[in-house]
Amino acid sequence: GAVVSQHPSWVICKSGTSVKIECRSLDFQATTMFWYRQFPKQSLMLMATSNEGSKATYEQGVEKDKFLINHASLTLSTLTVTSAHPEDSSFYICSATPGPGGEQYFGPGTRLTVT
Amino acid sequence: AQSVTQLGSHVSVSEGALVLLRCNYSSSVPPYLFWYVQYPNQGLQLLLKYTTGATLVKGINGFEAEFKKSETSFHLTKPSAHMSDAAEYFCAVRQSARQLTFGSGTQLTVLP
């Protein structure tokens, strides 16, 4: 079946530094990848949608200059949290879909803690 | 606009009892509906989905859900709960080509 991986699975960084999270589709080409954020005991909130080779589309309220998304290939998207602050601590989940209307396959998530 | 409402943020059942997790949606067009399960510190796993056709959908791990258009509901059921079913469950709707909208989630606890 379709597998999506994320790296790292957890990361601790200091306030003010930047952190990059990778999302890879291992056995299919993902024309679109999605990035979600999940706070403890809450639902997933869509942050942005990225299509391979084009700029990401950010949801309202999400700072595009803070959460940099790159979808450079059909199997890799990256989310970089720039100048991280403690309030950015969260669980970040990506998903990938092979094409329009296709099912979304979710990664295992990345736990980010900013100290 | 589409939205999803999950009634009951926490549901507790005894092992072997019926599991019923409620989901209602609003959508201006026929939706695609999904149930996902999330175990602690993990991503989401698809349990089942409704796209078109038969309104009773069977999924993995013995779960099933019935799409009721007249009630705008897509409740998740399992005849007999198992301890391993304890997890967070999310109902989701997809109206556009790709974007999913999730409900707030229901934490299922299974009591021995």
Side-chain angles (χ1 to χ4, degrees):
Chain A
V3 179
V4 175
S5 69
Q6 283 185 240
H7 179 81
S9 56
W10 59 272
V11 58
I12 301 173
C13 70
K14 293 186 176 181
S15 185
T17 62
S18 295
V19 176
K20 179 183 287 188
I21 302 170
E22 293 185 348
C23 176
R24 293 182 184 272
S25 57
L26 299 184
D27 50 4
F28 68 99
Q29 293 186 327
T31 57
T32 303
M33 288 184 170
F34 303 87
W35 286 96
Y36 296 87
R37 184 174 182 177
Q38 185 181 32
F39 289 106
K41 306 298 183 182
Q42 295 188 28
S43 187
L44 281 73
M45 300 300 295
L46 180 66
M47 298 175 66
T49 302
S50 74
N51 294 293
E52 186 266 338
S54 61
K55 290 184 177 181
T57 301
Y58 291 81
E59 295 299 301
Q60 192 172 7
V62 177
E63 299 176 60
K64 61 181 181 181
D65 293 331
K66 182 170 185 60
F67 298 98
L68 301 179
I69 293 173
N70 184 281
H71 192 163
S73 77
L74 285 172
T75 59
L76 174 65
S77 177
T78 59
L79 167 67
T80 301
V81 183
T82 63
S83 186
H85 290 282
E87 56 265 31
D88 299 325
S89 298
S90 189
F91 195 52
Y92 293 87
I93 302 175
C94 74
S95 71
T97 182
E103 185 173 323
Q104 283 191 34
Y105 300 97
F106 286 82
T110 296
R111 174 74 59 192
L112 170 62
T113 300
V114 184
T115 60
Chain B
Q2 57 193 9
S3 66
V4 179
T5 301
Q6 290 185 240
L7 297 177
S9 58
H10 291 84
V11 171
S12 292
V13 300
S14 298
E15 190 174 19
L18 171 72
V19 175
L20 171 60
L21 304 182
R22 300 179 185 273
C23 173
N24 288 88
Y25 69 91
S26 67
S27 175
S28 58
V29 297
Y32 288 3
L33 295 160
F34 304 80
W35 274 101
Y36 290 89
V37 61
Q38 184 182 33
Y39 296 97
N41 295 311
Q42 294 186 27
L44 273 64
Q45 180 182 8
L46 180 66
L47 280 177
L48 49 80
K49 64 180 177 182
Y50 169 79
T51 54
T52 59
T55 56
L56 181 62
V57 181
K58 295 186 183 298
I60 62 172
N61 301 337
F63 285 94
E64 61 182 36
E66 186 172 10
F67 170 60
K68 291 187 176 181
K69 183 178 179 180
S70 61
E71 299 177 7
T72 60
S73 68
F74 191 57
H75 301 331
L76 181 70
T77 61
K78 182 174 181 178
S80 178
H82 192 273
M83 297 296 289
S84 61
D85 294 327
E88 185 87 19
Y89 291 81
F90 292 97
C91 181
V93 60
R94 191 179 82 201
Q95 192 170 344
S96 64
R98 297 163 184 171
Q99 187 167 333
L100 284 169
T101 300
F102 288 89
S104 55
T106 298
Q107 179 68 47
L108 176 65
T109 300
V110 182
L111 305 172

